[in-house]
Short mmCIF file of all heavy atoms in Angstrom, two decimals:
data_model
loop_
_atom_site.label_atom_id
_atom_site.label_comp_id
_atom_site.label_asym_id
_atom_site.label_seq_id
_atom_site.Cartn_x
_atom_site.Cartn_y
_atom_site.Cartn_z
N LEU B 31 91.36 -141.33 -134.50
CA LEU B 31 91.96 -142.52 -135.13
C LEU B 31 91.57 -143.78 -134.36
O LEU B 31 91.23 -144.81 -134.96
CB LEU B 31 93.49 -142.36 -135.16
CG LEU B 31 94.26 -143.51 -135.83
CD1 LEU B 31 93.79 -143.74 -137.27
CD2 LEU B 31 95.76 -143.25 -135.81
N LEU B 32 91.58 -143.67 -133.03
CA LEU B 32 91.20 -144.81 -132.19
C LEU B 32 89.77 -145.26 -132.49
O LEU B 32 89.47 -146.44 -132.63
CB LEU B 32 91.32 -144.39 -130.72
CG LEU B 32 91.57 -145.48 -129.70
CD1 LEU B 32 92.82 -146.27 -130.01
CD2 LEU B 32 91.70 -144.85 -128.30
N LYS B 33 88.90 -144.26 -132.64
CA LYS B 33 87.50 -144.55 -132.93
C LYS B 33 87.37 -145.22 -134.31
O LYS B 33 86.61 -146.17 -134.48
CB LYS B 33 86.71 -143.23 -132.90
CG LYS B 33 85.22 -143.41 -132.73
CD LYS B 33 84.50 -142.08 -132.60
CE LYS B 33 83.05 -142.24 -133.01
NZ LYS B 33 82.36 -140.96 -133.16
N TYR B 34 88.14 -144.71 -135.25
CA TYR B 34 88.13 -145.26 -136.62
C TYR B 34 88.61 -146.72 -136.60
O TYR B 34 87.97 -147.61 -137.17
CB TYR B 34 89.03 -144.39 -137.50
CG TYR B 34 89.16 -144.85 -138.93
CD1 TYR B 34 88.04 -145.18 -139.69
CD2 TYR B 34 90.41 -144.94 -139.54
CE1 TYR B 34 88.16 -145.59 -141.01
CE2 TYR B 34 90.55 -145.34 -140.86
CZ TYR B 34 89.42 -145.67 -141.59
OH TYR B 34 89.56 -146.08 -142.89
N ILE B 35 89.73 -146.97 -135.91
CA ILE B 35 90.28 -148.34 -135.83
C ILE B 35 89.24 -149.28 -135.23
O ILE B 35 89.01 -150.38 -135.75
CB ILE B 35 91.56 -148.36 -134.97
CG1 ILE B 35 92.71 -147.67 -135.73
CG2 ILE B 35 91.95 -149.79 -134.59
CD1 ILE B 35 93.96 -147.45 -134.90
N ARG B 36 88.59 -148.81 -134.16
CA ARG B 36 87.61 -149.70 -133.50
C ARG B 36 86.40 -149.94 -134.39
O ARG B 36 85.83 -151.03 -134.38
CB ARG B 36 87.20 -149.12 -132.14
CG ARG B 36 88.38 -149.24 -131.19
CD ARG B 36 88.01 -148.98 -129.75
NE ARG B 36 89.21 -149.15 -128.93
CZ ARG B 36 89.50 -148.43 -127.86
NH1 ARG B 36 88.66 -147.49 -127.44
NH2 ARG B 36 90.60 -148.65 -127.18
N SER B 37 86.02 -148.93 -135.17
CA SER B 37 84.86 -149.10 -136.05
C SER B 37 85.14 -150.19 -137.08
O SER B 37 84.22 -150.89 -137.52
CB SER B 37 84.50 -147.78 -136.74
OG SER B 37 85.35 -147.52 -137.84
N LEU B 38 86.40 -150.37 -137.43
CA LEU B 38 86.75 -151.35 -138.47
C LEU B 38 86.68 -152.79 -137.96
O LEU B 38 86.85 -153.73 -138.73
CB LEU B 38 88.14 -151.05 -139.05
CG LEU B 38 88.27 -149.69 -139.76
CD1 LEU B 38 89.70 -149.49 -140.26
CD2 LEU B 38 87.29 -149.56 -140.91
N GLN B 39 86.40 -152.97 -136.68
CA GLN B 39 86.11 -154.31 -136.16
C GLN B 39 84.73 -154.77 -136.61
O GLN B 39 84.39 -155.94 -136.47
CB GLN B 39 86.17 -154.34 -134.62
CG GLN B 39 87.51 -153.94 -134.03
CD GLN B 39 88.65 -154.81 -134.52
OE1 GLN B 39 88.50 -156.02 -134.64
NE2 GLN B 39 89.79 -154.20 -134.83
N ILE B 40 83.92 -153.82 -137.10
CA ILE B 40 82.54 -154.13 -137.48
C ILE B 40 82.40 -154.13 -138.99
O ILE B 40 82.86 -153.20 -139.68
CB ILE B 40 81.58 -153.10 -136.83
CG1 ILE B 40 81.71 -153.22 -135.29
CG2 ILE B 40 80.14 -153.32 -137.26
CD1 ILE B 40 81.22 -152.01 -134.55
N LYS B 41 81.78 -155.18 -139.52
CA LYS B 41 81.71 -155.38 -140.96
C LYS B 41 81.11 -154.18 -141.69
O LYS B 41 81.60 -153.76 -142.74
CB LYS B 41 80.91 -156.65 -141.25
CG LYS B 41 80.92 -157.04 -142.72
CD LYS B 41 80.14 -158.32 -142.97
CE LYS B 41 80.07 -158.59 -144.48
NZ LYS B 41 79.23 -159.75 -144.78
N LYS B 42 80.02 -153.64 -141.11
CA LYS B 42 79.34 -152.50 -141.73
C LYS B 42 80.31 -151.35 -141.99
O LYS B 42 80.29 -150.73 -143.06
CB LYS B 42 78.20 -152.04 -140.81
CG LYS B 42 77.35 -150.93 -141.38
CD LYS B 42 76.17 -150.62 -140.47
CE LYS B 42 76.53 -149.59 -139.43
NZ LYS B 42 75.36 -149.12 -138.63
N TYR B 43 81.15 -151.06 -141.00
CA TYR B 43 82.07 -149.93 -141.15
C TYR B 43 83.24 -150.27 -142.06
O TYR B 43 83.76 -149.39 -142.74
CB TYR B 43 82.54 -149.45 -139.77
CG TYR B 43 81.40 -148.84 -138.99
CD1 TYR B 43 80.79 -149.51 -137.95
CD2 TYR B 43 80.90 -147.58 -139.35
CE1 TYR B 43 79.72 -148.97 -137.26
CE2 TYR B 43 79.82 -147.03 -138.67
CZ TYR B 43 79.23 -147.73 -137.62
OH TYR B 43 78.17 -147.19 -136.96
N ARG B 44 83.62 -151.54 -142.09
CA ARG B 44 84.65 -151.93 -143.07
C ARG B 44 84.12 -151.69 -144.47
O ARG B 44 84.83 -151.21 -145.35
CB ARG B 44 85.05 -153.40 -142.90
CG ARG B 44 85.89 -153.69 -141.68
CD ARG B 44 86.54 -155.07 -141.75
NE ARG B 44 85.60 -156.19 -141.73
CZ ARG B 44 85.11 -156.77 -140.63
NH1 ARG B 44 85.48 -156.31 -139.44
NH2 ARG B 44 84.29 -157.78 -140.71
N GLY B 45 82.84 -152.01 -144.68
CA GLY B 45 82.22 -151.78 -145.99
C GLY B 45 82.14 -150.30 -146.32
O GLY B 45 82.47 -149.87 -147.43
N LEU B 46 81.74 -149.52 -145.34
CA LEU B 46 81.58 -148.07 -145.52
C LEU B 46 82.91 -147.40 -145.86
O LEU B 46 83.01 -146.59 -146.79
CB LEU B 46 81.03 -147.49 -144.21
CG LEU B 46 80.50 -146.06 -144.22
CD1 LEU B 46 79.24 -145.97 -145.07
CD2 LEU B 46 80.19 -145.62 -142.78
N HIS B 47 83.95 -147.78 -145.12
CA HIS B 47 85.25 -147.13 -145.31
C HIS B 47 86.15 -147.88 -146.30
O HIS B 47 87.22 -147.39 -146.65
CB HIS B 47 85.98 -147.01 -143.97
CG HIS B 47 85.25 -146.20 -142.95
ND1 HIS B 47 84.99 -144.86 -143.13
CD2 HIS B 47 84.72 -146.52 -141.74
CE1 HIS B 47 84.33 -144.40 -142.07
NE2 HIS B 47 84.14 -145.40 -141.22
N GLN B 48 85.72 -149.08 -146.69
CA GLN B 48 86.54 -149.93 -147.57
C GLN B 48 87.96 -150.08 -147.01
O GLN B 48 88.97 -149.94 -147.74
CB GLN B 48 86.56 -149.37 -149.00
CG GLN B 48 85.23 -149.57 -149.73
CD GLN B 48 84.90 -151.05 -149.91
OE1 GLN B 48 85.64 -151.79 -150.55
NE2 GLN B 48 83.80 -151.52 -149.30
N ALA B 49 88.02 -150.32 -145.72
CA ALA B 49 89.31 -150.49 -145.06
C ALA B 49 89.20 -151.56 -143.99
O ALA B 49 88.10 -151.90 -143.54
CB ALA B 49 89.75 -149.17 -144.43
N PHE B 50 90.34 -152.14 -143.60
CA PHE B 50 90.36 -153.15 -142.55
C PHE B 50 91.68 -153.06 -141.79
O PHE B 50 92.63 -152.41 -142.26
CB PHE B 50 90.15 -154.56 -143.12
CG PHE B 50 91.29 -155.07 -143.99
CD1 PHE B 50 92.15 -156.05 -143.54
CD2 PHE B 50 91.49 -154.54 -145.27
CE1 PHE B 50 93.19 -156.53 -144.34
CE2 PHE B 50 92.54 -154.99 -146.07
CZ PHE B 50 93.38 -155.99 -145.61
N THR B 51 91.72 -153.69 -140.63
CA THR B 51 92.95 -153.63 -139.82
C THR B 51 93.70 -154.96 -139.85
O THR B 51 93.11 -156.02 -140.00
CB THR B 51 92.64 -153.29 -138.35
OG1 THR B 51 91.75 -154.28 -137.81
CG2 THR B 51 92.02 -151.91 -138.21
N VAL B 52 95.01 -154.83 -139.71
CA VAL B 52 95.89 -156.00 -139.65
C VAL B 52 96.77 -155.80 -138.42
O VAL B 52 97.33 -154.72 -138.23
CB VAL B 52 96.75 -156.09 -140.92
CG1 VAL B 52 97.68 -157.30 -140.86
CG2 VAL B 52 95.87 -156.15 -142.17
N GLU B 53 96.88 -156.83 -137.58
CA GLU B 53 97.62 -156.68 -136.33
C GLU B 53 98.70 -157.74 -136.17
O GLU B 53 98.57 -158.85 -136.67
CB GLU B 53 96.64 -156.80 -135.14
CG GLU B 53 95.55 -155.76 -135.13
CD GLU B 53 94.62 -155.93 -133.93
OE1 GLU B 53 95.10 -156.14 -132.81
OE2 GLU B 53 93.39 -155.87 -134.13
N GLU B 69 96.63 -147.04 -145.37
CA GLU B 69 96.30 -145.70 -144.89
C GLU B 69 97.31 -145.28 -143.82
O GLU B 69 98.06 -144.33 -143.98
CB GLU B 69 94.88 -145.67 -144.33
CG GLU B 69 93.82 -145.93 -145.41
CD GLU B 69 92.41 -145.89 -144.85
OE1 GLU B 69 92.22 -145.66 -143.64
OE2 GLU B 69 91.47 -146.10 -145.65
N LEU B 112 100.12 -152.29 -135.94
CA LEU B 112 98.73 -152.37 -136.39
C LEU B 112 98.62 -151.51 -137.64
O LEU B 112 99.03 -150.35 -137.64
CB LEU B 112 97.77 -151.85 -135.30
CG LEU B 112 96.27 -151.94 -135.58
CD1 LEU B 112 95.48 -152.00 -134.27
CD2 LEU B 112 95.74 -150.79 -136.43
N ALA B 113 98.10 -152.09 -138.71
CA ALA B 113 98.00 -151.35 -139.96
C ALA B 113 96.55 -151.20 -140.39
O ALA B 113 95.73 -152.09 -140.14
CB ALA B 113 98.78 -152.08 -141.06
N ILE B 114 96.24 -150.07 -140.99
CA ILE B 114 94.94 -149.89 -141.62
C ILE B 114 95.17 -149.98 -143.12
O ILE B 114 95.92 -149.18 -143.69
CB ILE B 114 94.31 -148.54 -141.25
CG1 ILE B 114 94.22 -148.39 -139.73
CG2 ILE B 114 92.92 -148.40 -141.89
CD1 ILE B 114 93.78 -147.01 -139.27
N ALA B 115 94.56 -150.99 -143.73
CA ALA B 115 94.77 -151.24 -145.16
C ALA B 115 93.48 -151.04 -145.92
O ALA B 115 92.39 -151.17 -145.36
CB ALA B 115 95.28 -152.67 -145.36
N ARG B 116 93.58 -150.70 -147.19
CA ARG B 116 92.41 -150.55 -148.05
C ARG B 116 91.94 -151.92 -148.52
O ARG B 116 92.75 -152.78 -148.88
CB ARG B 116 92.75 -149.72 -149.30
CG ARG B 116 93.33 -148.35 -149.03
CD ARG B 116 92.33 -147.39 -148.43
NE ARG B 116 91.14 -147.24 -149.26
CZ ARG B 116 89.98 -146.78 -148.80
NH1 ARG B 116 89.84 -146.46 -147.52
NH2 ARG B 116 88.95 -146.66 -149.61
N ILE B 117 90.62 -152.13 -148.53
CA ILE B 117 90.07 -153.35 -149.14
C ILE B 117 90.23 -153.20 -150.65
O ILE B 117 89.78 -152.21 -151.22
CB ILE B 117 88.59 -153.54 -148.75
CG1 ILE B 117 88.50 -153.84 -147.24
CG2 ILE B 117 87.93 -154.63 -149.58
CD1 ILE B 117 87.09 -154.00 -146.70
N ASP B 166 83.31 -162.93 -142.97
CA ASP B 166 83.92 -161.88 -143.78
C ASP B 166 85.44 -162.03 -143.82
O ASP B 166 86.10 -162.08 -142.78
CB ASP B 166 83.54 -160.51 -143.20
CG ASP B 166 84.14 -159.37 -144.01
OD1 ASP B 166 84.33 -159.56 -145.24
OD2 ASP B 166 84.43 -158.32 -143.43
N TYR B 168 87.68 -159.99 -144.33
CA TYR B 168 88.45 -158.89 -143.72
C TYR B 168 88.20 -158.73 -142.22
O TYR B 168 88.67 -157.77 -141.61
CB TYR B 168 88.19 -157.59 -144.48
CG TYR B 168 88.65 -157.69 -145.92
CD1 TYR B 168 87.75 -157.88 -146.97
CD2 TYR B 168 90.01 -157.67 -146.22
CE1 TYR B 168 88.18 -158.02 -148.27
CE2 TYR B 168 90.45 -157.81 -147.52
CZ TYR B 168 89.54 -157.98 -148.55
OH TYR B 168 89.98 -158.13 -149.84
N ASN B 169 87.47 -159.69 -141.63
CA ASN B 169 87.31 -159.76 -140.18
C ASN B 169 88.70 -159.96 -139.55
O ASN B 169 89.50 -160.77 -140.02
CB ASN B 169 86.40 -160.97 -139.89
CG ASN B 169 86.18 -161.24 -138.42
OD1 ASN B 169 87.10 -161.25 -137.62
ND2 ASN B 169 84.93 -161.48 -138.08
N GLN B 170 88.98 -159.24 -138.48
CA GLN B 170 90.31 -159.30 -137.85
C GLN B 170 90.69 -160.73 -137.42
O GLN B 170 91.85 -161.13 -137.52
CB GLN B 170 90.35 -158.33 -136.67
CG GLN B 170 91.60 -158.38 -135.82
CD GLN B 170 92.87 -158.18 -136.61
OE1 GLN B 170 92.94 -157.36 -137.51
NE2 GLN B 170 93.90 -158.97 -136.31
#
Side-chain angles (χ1 to χ4, degrees):
Chain B
L31 182 57
L32 206 56
K33 199 176 156 191
Y34 179 48
I35 289 171
R36 289 192 179 144
S37 79
L38 298 178
Q39 300 302 320
I40 298 161
K41 187 179 175 185
K42 184 175 88 172
Y43 293 104
R44 287 194 295 273
L46 192 67
H47 299 297
Q48 288 297 299
F50 68 107
T51 58
V52 179
E53 299 180 45
E69 295 181 0
L112 183 154
I114 305 173
R116 304 291 304 159
I117 292 178
D166 180 30
Y168 297 103
N169 177 314
Q170 174 56 40

